[in-house]
Amino acid sequence: MAGFKIDKRAIAKMQKEIVKEFERANRKHPVRIPIEVEPPSMGVLTLASASGLESDPQLSRLLLWLYEAIQQNPSHYVDVRDFAQDEGLPEDDSDNMALQLEKLGLVKIARTLAGGLSEVFPTDDGLLEARRLLALRADTVERFGHACDVLLRWVLRVGGRQASVPALTFLEDPLCSFAGGPLTEDEVLSALDYLREHALVERVVTDAEVSVLITAQGTHCVLAGGTVNDFLSSQSTGDIYNITDSHGFVAGSQQHVVQNNSFGLDASKLAEFAQQVRQFAPSLGVSAEEQSQLILEAEVLEETAATDVPEPGRVRVAFDRLNSTLTAIGTATPGLTMLVGAGQSAYQAVFGA
């Protein structure tokens, strides 16, 4: 390479021209860097009223799962894909759930160059919302109101306006939950009884199971939006008269009057039916555990029906539980058939339906 010489002056001149060109381009088209400013926190009261997260079974469970995870590792982001795997959900749902919680201001997403959105960390609002959900779980009034709302919507969604649906299959529906936890069988049966008392559903009793059919009034309630309590409150118009032990007496100026005369509930037939179940339980061919459960439910019905002033709601719930256990026995026997028939006859004798 003899005789080759680097022209340093030419290189320096080229560098200066390149710098000048960049400066001219920058003056003409200045670089703008967006600055993100976090909005002020909404606070838990505003957030709770806006999100209604207790009614979303998936997101409420996810937020509580994140809350528990953060208690164990306070400074670590958590991967929502682990929750999806635990719940048996598609992994693709992880990013979507994370984005929904972020939109509500409940989590921060760790965005990476790889493009994943599933690693999150609860915000202060997220932690407050999780604590609110935990408090709601213990509120029996809120749980009961929610059970009435979701059960009535479920009956219309699954059975439509014409078909009855087995009442206890609602327990298998993901919507049978509140604030991230499942509703119990007792809560569902109690809600069913309340809806029936207010003519929003009808009970359809067969040899196999207790089914439920929505009424025209129940359909109106669902389509009106809002809660069952909102709907029933809006129906309470006109004069109200409290009359006890009356016979053929009507008061008030309204054109349509509904008068209920209460003479006490005679539930002795259901108490006798419960005694029959306890007597025949050992001959039904069930396991020792199933037999114990059957006898326990029969004792509850007998005790509830044999009180001096039986409460209709409690009697119905106790009967429904015992009847459901009987009809769930897989092996049909003459004794089982007799008991199921006796139960339906006793129920009709007491309640007339």
Side-chain angles (χ1 to χ4, degrees), residues 284-318:
L284 296 180
V286 297
S287 66
E289 182 179 351
E290 291 173 318
Q291 180 178 321
S292 298
Q293 182 66 25
L294 199 60
I295 292 175
L296 175 61
E297 291 176 355
E299 290 174 346
V300 171
L301 175 59
E302 183 178 358
E303 180 181 348
T304 305
T307 58
D308 292 337
V309 185
E311 298 180 25
R314 293 186 61 192
V315 173
R316 287 192 182 100
V317 169

Side-chain angles (χ1 to χ4, degrees), residues 190-228:
S190 182
L192 173 61
D193 195 57
Y194 183 80
L195 296 175
R196 180 179 179 274
E197 288 173 359
H198 290 83
L200 300 179
V201 299
E202 294 178 358
R203 184 197 305 266
V204 181
V205 181
T206 65
D207 292 341
E209 60 199 355
V210 176
S211 297
V212 58
L213 174 68
I214 198 166
T215 63
Q217 182 86 335
T219 303
H220 184 198
C221 175
V222 173
L223 297 181
T227 66
V228 169

